[in-house]
Every structure is written in structure tokens, then in C-alpha cells.
Amino acid sequence: MTPLTPTVWNDLKTALAETIPVERLIDDPLRTLAYGTDASFYRLIPKLVVRPESEEELQAVLAECRVRGIPVTFRAAGTSLSGQAVTDSVLIQLWQGWRGHEILDEGRAIRLQTGVIGARANTLLAPYQRKIGPDPASINSCMIGGIAANNASGMCCGTAQNSYRTVRDIRVILADGTLLDTADPASREAFCRSHAGLVEGLERLSAETLANEALAEKIRHKYRLKNTTGYALNSLVDFTDGIEILKHLMIGSEGTLGFISTITYDTVVDEPEKAAALAFFPDMATTCRATIALKQAPVSAVELMDRAALRSVQDKPGMPETLRTLPGGAAALLIDVRGNDDAELEARMQVVQETLEGIQTLEPVAFTREASTYELYWKIRKGLFPAVGAVRETGTTVIIEDVAFPIERLDAGVLALTEAFRRHGYQEAILFGHALEGNLHFVFPQGFEKPGEVERYQGLMDEVAQLVGVEYGGSLKAEHGTGRNMAPYVELEWGADAYALMWEIKALFDPENLLNPEVILSRNPTLHLENLKPMPAANEIIDKCIECGFCEDICPSRDLTLTPRQRIVVTRELARLEGLGSQRSAEDDVRLESMRQGYRYAGDETCAGDGLCSTQCPVGINTGDLTRELRNDRVANKAGVVRYIGRHFSGATRTARGALMVVGAANRVLGDGVMGKVSQGARRLSGDRLPEWTPALPKATPIRLLKSSTLHDGRRDKVVYLPSCATRIFGASRDDAETRSVMEITLAVLDKAGFEVIIPEMVGHLCCGMAFNSKGQFEEAAHKAREVNRELLVASQNGRYPVLIDTSPCVHHLKSRLDERLQVSEPVAFAHDHLLPRLEIAALDERVAVHVTCSSVHMGVGDKMVALARACAREVVVPAEISCCGFAGDKGFNTPELNASALEGLAEQVADCSAGYSNSRTCEIGLGQHGGIPYRSILSLLDRASRPVSA
């Protein structure tokens, strides 16, 4: 093998640049670290991250790496927990080109490229009442490539509906670059000719395995359980055709045998009626006996939680009071039952009740079909892993292990595991899992910095491996993949014959050992103790992050620069390097400065600060808070200027409206084409300090209407209306048929609904403070919020009248900053709750789009927005995979590429819509530009579809 010198890496990058744009060949210190981190507790930093966008590009990468003897690792979402998606060589990262999908056979199958997120596949299948079989807890974040490559299962799918059992076909690229499409007879035939040695070798291994009765029976026994330890040896006893063996070996192979570019799943029925019960038992032995009894019952899932697990979540908001009063040895089962209709569901619940008769429970078992309670029960279960992460000591990581016992030995296995934890000093470990399959997860915090900690961890893992894999005949990895973490124990679990068989399989597929080496199979007995991830203290806001990656799919900068997880990873590394002080090497200094410079744009300027990451984060981390804090540190010297703007805010908004009028006049003279070129040139000359002009830039708002808008009618209910500074500046879009400003629309619909409108005094001076807060100017933001609070109390007579603010983000920002007497609503909630009952609605014969803003998500009004739109229009489209629009106040002008990246694909989804509707004027500017249709206030739609209630 050629020594991997800097020259080799430079040559590789130069060669790849002939077929792949250089911006998708990444080797700077910041991004290789960020993109190379997964959810495991291992860290390897790739030399090069490559983002191929097609099969042809990926084949080119494999070819260039193969000729130089350079290993490669494939990476999807990186939610993997066992170290299978990290490398210090070439990381091939799935990116935007791998999100294709096709529904087949009226939903009975679905063809998916491997960059599709699992939950997105189920959304596509929902109209057919179908879903994919695998249902891992990370399904909202993990990608199909990872689900298939790890044979991930989850809560309900068991062993009958995992990827191995439900794969219909795959397109796979092997180490030598050959593409096989198992759905295409011509491809299969050509492959059998070109790779006769591989196909015949697999068929030979199958025949030899079937002839070895002891080995064949052992394999069948192992796959009665959930099992992802090693390769899918069941393919050798389930099939004799070489292509079918190959197809099923690829499932769970963790990128060590080839790259799955597309997978076709046979889908399963998604039973619409659901119920759940949280059953409490006096001790673990009773809980396990109940589990064994339920194995034959018509249940969808049975999730076990020990007392320590329940204790870890009992103080969280919304948790049942019962959790706090359980005795020390108690345990619980979350029992989920589903059916196609009410009768079937009721019958199945009755069977469960009968099954549990005679088994002692701490309180009667009661099923709930109420959606909020059902979701609460599952929130308890899904919150267990991160709950440990949230309370761990700063500087430690959190370990989650994943074993399976034969169900008939579950109670004894649980007791043996618990004793092993105690013996090695892991009293804080919690135990939970998919009990029906004997599949248990145990989670505990683990530090590796203090003396003796690595040895303590090794001692525990050695004992667990012997206990589970040998004494109980179970699986050391039930569903999380072998990875690096369990690779040293594969032979112990499987025995010498099966282990040798796995090495033969690896040699048939990848004789040069270039595909993800050291994953699944390794000759290194201490591999699982090497390259451990540092978790230094960096900032209290993020120190509890477990780097799971659940936040990534909802981040507007995910395809542009960094995700929240990646911002945290880089922030931690900066803290680590800075903490070295005088011990830093010259290389460390160069790396530190490079990362600081890169983070200014990738971490700060392109962070929208929307906080949606906190809604997905298992421990509620808002990475936007980190960004704002860093901005605050940087802008402290500008406090005087900011204070002046805040104290003269009406003048600032007048100036902004004046600038809009001047720009509008220039645009009318120059036209869009010339105006765009002039704007881009000026922006370049200013070093990107000037905002970018966009054709979607609205007209200025006529603000005089506020002075004559108040109606005095003692018979009408009163409402205080505070127009935001955005709606006081930005009027209607230039070419929109809706020519009124948001303020005009709001006043019109309030009048139509019979309200008397009260405008606060000095309205032109008021601002919620969000614009200052987002830039880290916390003091002035607080001052402006206090001003609003004072004026709203006066206008509403200390909360006597409701308050409407016409922009959702302003309301979200003010919610925790206003006097509790004030009843403040944004447009959606106010329209849904107060205006709809006062109006007669005649739904428009239109197909409209709705954008649920990030503030609407935070405030829980997204469903109301969709319901309001559906009341007013024939058809409502909520574009998939569009979360925060990335306009983020003024970033749509100052960092326009963030807005463009966040709204990639919007135009195609709303192409047949007459217009789009939302509740934030600035968001609507960017949505209109990138959606290709006008976006307006949701109140415009309501106004158009309504009339006053007839007397």
C-alpha cells in the first residue's frame, strides 16, 4: 500500500476535482471535524470529506481511492452509536443528491435513495395507510442508508419487519465500483457474468453452512433474537441464490461490503387506531413475567423501564405523579396496542387485560386512546436515553449499550446485568428496552479522563460480553450495529467457525479491506478503548449535549454550513484547544486560528437562531442561545450606537421606509436585471456589509392609516392592535394582487369581525426587542421589551382587553417578558380563536400554501394555522422538509444564501398554489422570492374568504 503522505492526499483531491466540484471536497480543520462526528463516543477526524451527488461521482471516488489504497467510510445522518460512521481517512457523506423517492404498487412498496430521512418515508406513505417496517427511535433524524446499513429496528418492528425482512431490492455499488441493481434482470445477469467469483463464492458459503448442521442451527437461534452483531449470516441459511444472499448481506453490513444507493422496501400496514397503557409492577421479576406472557398477545410494542429509568424523568414537566411515588424496586411496561378499526382495537385491549390477569400490578392497568396522554407515555420512554445525558457530570459522555436475551431468560438476564453494573460501580445505570424481543438498552454516564476509568469500562464490557453472548446465548448488539464498539467481541459471541465465515465474506466483497476497515471485524482486541471522544466543558448552554444529531434535519443551515450538533462539536474543540494554553503545539495554534476564522461565518453568520433545534433536542438545547451569547461578547463595544437606535426607533423605521421608497424608485428606472447587478456589485465592494437587493423586496408601508384607524363604538368588543416594526416598514409585495399592507388587512378584518381597535400611544417607537436580542444586544432588547410592556398595559387597561401583534416571532419573543395580566396573541391564534366565530366563511376555490414559522412551532399554533387555512381554501399545502425559512430578521438581506439554502425545493412543492400564507412579514419576503408565488399574511386569506355575520 502506498504510504498516505500529504502528497497522496493532495493528488487525490486534485484527481477528484476533475469530476466533483471543489466545494464538495472538504479538508479544512473546522468542517472535517464537524462533518466527521457521529453520535458515538469515538472521534476520528477525516482527512477528506467528499460529497458525491450521483452514483457516477461516487464510483469515481471509489476508483481514485482504490488506486491509492485509501480507505473510505460512508456516512448518512450520523446518528449511529457504535462508531461505525467515523474515520481518519476519506468520509463519503450523503448530501443533497440522495433524496429521491418513488411510491410503488399503490404504497405497498417504496423506492428510496439512502439520503431520505426515515420519517419522510413514512410521511410519503401516510396517504396509503402504510409505513416502512423499521421504526428506530431516531427515525425523525436518521436516513434510510443508515437504517439499512445497520439493520436498525426500533419500538414496534421486532424481527419480522426490519430491513432484512422487508427489503425487496437494492442498488449497490461494490468496492471495485461495479453497480448492481437487483430489480433489473439485465443488471443481475451482467453481474453474475462479471462477478462470477463473488456470486459462486456466496453460494458455496451457503452450501457449506447448511451442511454444517450445528452452525446452521446456531445461526437460526441467533436470529430468533434481534441481532446486529457481525454480518447477517442468516442470509446463508435463508437463501441459496447468490444475488439474494448478497442483497441480504448488505443489510446490516455498516458500509463494509459496499454502498447501498437505493433500497426498495415492501411496506407494512400502519394501523390508524392506537392505545397505550403504562403498567407498573412491584419488581423486575414480575415485570419480566408479564413481558413473557404478553409475547403471545396482540400488542404492537412492550417497552420495559426499570425504577432508575423512571426516576430519571419523573421530575420533568407533564410526567404523571405516579412516577414519584413508586417503590424502589418497581418497574413499568409501556404496552402499545393498535388496530385497523375501533372494534379490532377494543378486542386486542381486552386480550391484553386477560393476559395480565393474575400478575400483580401496583395499580389497575388502564389503556388510553387520548392523543395527548398516549404521546406522554411515549415521551417518557423516548426521553430515557437523553435524561441520563442531561444530568451527567460535565466532561463525561453517555454510553448506551444494546443487548438481547432469549425472551424465556429475560428475568434472569436482567438481574445478572444489574448485578454486573453494581459490581463495577455503575449504580447510576438505567435499564429499558424493547422487552418483547428481550432487547434491553442500558445507559450510564462515563468519563475517560480520570485514571482507572478506561479500565473500569473495559471490565464491565468484558463481563457483559461473556454474560450475554456466551452464558445466555444472546446478542451483544441487538439493533445499534456492531461498529467499533463491539468489534473485539464478535468472535466471543459467535464462535470461531462463524467468525471465520464472516472474514471470508469480507474478503469476497472487499479483498483490499478499503471499505470502512476496523468496523464489524477487527483483529485489534482494544479497538473499543481507542480514539475516545473528548467532551470538554465549553459553555453551560451546550455542555449537556450528547451529540446525537436529532437537531440536524430541522436546521435551516444544514445544507449550507453547520448544524446545531456541528456548532457544538466545533465549540467544544475550540474550548479544548484554548484550554491547552502554553501546552499547545505550533500545529494546534494553526488549527485553532483556522477554526476561529471559519466559525465566524459557518457557526455564527449562518445561524438563524430560530431555536427549532431545541424542539428536536432530547435535552432541550437551543444552540441559537449559544450563538446570541457569542454575539453579545463580540458586540459589547457597540452598545452606545445600539442604545441610540433604540432610543430613536421611530426615526430608524422612518429611515428604513424612506430607503425602501428610494430603492423602489431606482428599481422602476433600472429594471430588475440592472438593479440586481448594481446591488451585487455594491455588496461585493462593501465586503458583503451592504444588504442584497431582491426582486421580492416589498413597497414601503403607508403608516398614516394608524392615526385615523381607531373607532369608538361602545357596543363593540375592544382589542389592542400593535403592528410590529416589520409590518410598519414592509408593505405589500410589488407585483402581488394583494396590494394592502399587513396593517391595512389587519384593521379591515378586525372591523369586519366587529372589534373596536385600540392603537397604543407612540406606536412608531415600539419594538419587541427581538431585532436587538438576535444580534446579542441583550440590554437594549430588554429595554425595548419593557417599553412595549408598559404601553400595552396602558392600552389594554391592565389586561382588560386582548392584544393582537401581527407578527408571530415578536409574540414568541415577548411571551416571557410581558406582564402576566396581558393576553397577547399572534395572527393565527387570534384569528382561529377570536375571528372565525365572528365571521361567515366561504372557502375559496384555491390551492394555497402555508408556511408554519419557527415561532409558531415554539408556541404550538402550527395546527391552528393549517386548520385556519383549510377553513378558508379548498386545498392546503404544507411543504415537506421546509422548516425555518432562514430569513431570520435581516439575514435574508445580509446572508441571502442561508434563506436560499433553507428553502431549496420550495418552488416545486408550491408550483400549483395561487399564493402562500404565513404570519411573519420578513419570512414572507424570502418565501415569495424562493417559492415563486406571493406570500402574504394569513389574515389576508381570512379576509378574502369571510364576510360579517348576518344580522
Side-chain angles (χ1 to χ4, degrees), residues 762 765-766 783 785-795 818 822:
M762 55 183 284
H765 179 71
L766 297 180
H783 172 75
R786 287 194 297 270
E787 287 182 341
V788 169
N789 186 69
R790 182 186 66 232
E791 294 303 316
L792 290 182
L793 282 171
V794 172
L818 295 180
L822 291 169

Side-chain angles (χ1 to χ4, degrees), residues 544-555:
K544 298 305 180 186
C545 175
I546 56 177
E547 298 184 8
C548 63
F550 286 9
C551 57
E552 294 192 324
D553 72 291
I554 206 166
C555 178

Side-chain angles (χ1 to χ4, degrees), residues 588-821:
D588 287 336
D589 284 333
V590 171
R591 188 161 179 263
L592 175 60
E593 185 57 28
S594 172
M595 293 179 70
R596 282 173 175 163
Q597 293 295 325
Y599 193 80
R600 178 67 181 270
Y601 176 76
D604 180 351
E605 292 179 19
T606 56
C607 177
D610 56 50
L612 284 184
C613 46
S614 67
T615 68
Q616 301 289 92
C617 174
V619 293
I621 294 170
N622 185 339
T623 313
D625 288 342
L626 171 69
T627 299
R628 282 182 285 273
E629 187 173 291
L630 296 175
R631 290 171 184 169
N632 177 254
D633 294 339
R634 195 177 66 249
V635 301
N637 61 338
K638 299 179 181 178
V641 175
V642 172
R643 188 178 303 112
Y644 180 86
I645 294 172
R647 300 313 192 266
H648 299 82
F649 200 73
S650 59
T653 56
R654 282 197 301 272
T655 301
R657 285 194 299 275
L660 273 180
M661 289 187 279
V662 170
V663 170
N667 183 209
R668 287 191 294 273
V669 172
L670 298 175
D672 287 355
V674 174
M675 189 72 181
K677 291 178 181 177
V678 170
S679 170
Q680 291 169 9
R683 181 169 165 79
R684 280 195 300 271
L685 289 173
S686 71
D688 288 345
R689 285 187 288 272
L690 285 177
E692 182 171 287
W693 174 85
T694 164
L697 192 67
K699 297 178 285 189
T701 297
I703 197 159
R704 290 187 300 276
L705 64 98
L706 293 177
K707 297 179 180 179
S708 59
S709 62
T710 303
L711 301 174
H712 299 287
D713 185 344
R715 295 169 301 177
R716 289 188 167 209
D717 291 331
K718 294 179 174 62
V719 61
V720 176
Y721 170 41
L722 174 61
S724 72
C725 52
T727 55
R728 298 198 309 267
I729 295 171
F730 298 112
S733 297
R734 290 185 309 151
D735 301 322
D736 190 0
E738 173 62 89
T739 59
R740 298 172 297 169
S741 68
V742 173
M743 290 190 296
E744 293 174 283
I745 295 166
T746 304
L747 291 169
V749 77
L750 288 173
D751 178 55
K752 186 187 296 186
F755 279 101
E756 178 182 329
V757 179
I758 301 170
I759 305 294
E761 295 292 333
M762 55 183 284
V763 65
H765 179 71
L766 297 180
C767 169
C768 69
M770 183 178 62
F772 297 96
N773 190 73
S774 66
K775 297 184 183 306
Q777 297 287 1
F778 300 149
E779 184 177 338
E780 191 58 29
H783 172 75
K784 298 305 290 183
R786 287 194 297 270
E787 287 182 341
V788 169
N789 186 69
R790 182 186 66 232
E791 294 303 316
L792 290 182
L793 282 171
V794 172
S796 69
Q797 296 188 10
N798 292 324
R800 180 180 178 186
Y801 310 128
V803 177
L804 168 62
I805 301 177
D806 58 19
T807 300
S808 174
C810 299
V811 177
H812 178 241
H813 175 75
L814 285 170
K815 277 288 189 183
S816 61
R817 296 170 170 86
L818 295 180
D819 190 292
E820 62 184 14
R821 291 172 291 176

Side-chain angles (χ1 to χ4, degrees), residues 716-721 740 742-757 802-806 825-842 864 867-869 871-872 918-919 937-950:
R716 289 188 167 209
D717 291 331
K718 294 179 174 62
V719 61
V720 176
Y721 170 41
R740 298 172 297 169
V742 173
M743 290 190 296
E744 293 174 283
I745 295 166
T746 304
L747 291 169
V749 77
L750 288 173
D751 178 55
K752 186 187 296 186
F755 279 101
E756 178 182 329
V757 179
V803 177
L804 168 62
I805 301 177
D806 58 19
S825 297
E826 49 71 61
V828 167
F830 191 86
H832 185 276
D833 297 344
H834 298 290
L835 298 182
L836 275 180
R838 293 170 171 259
L839 298 168
E840 290 185 3
I841 306 297
K864 288 185 176 181
L868 179 62
C872 298
S918 192
N919 56 358
S937 167
I938 191 75
L939 295 180
S940 170
L941 179 63
L942 177 61
D943 187 45
R944 294 176 57 227
S946 66
R947 63 185 180 187
V949 173
S950 302

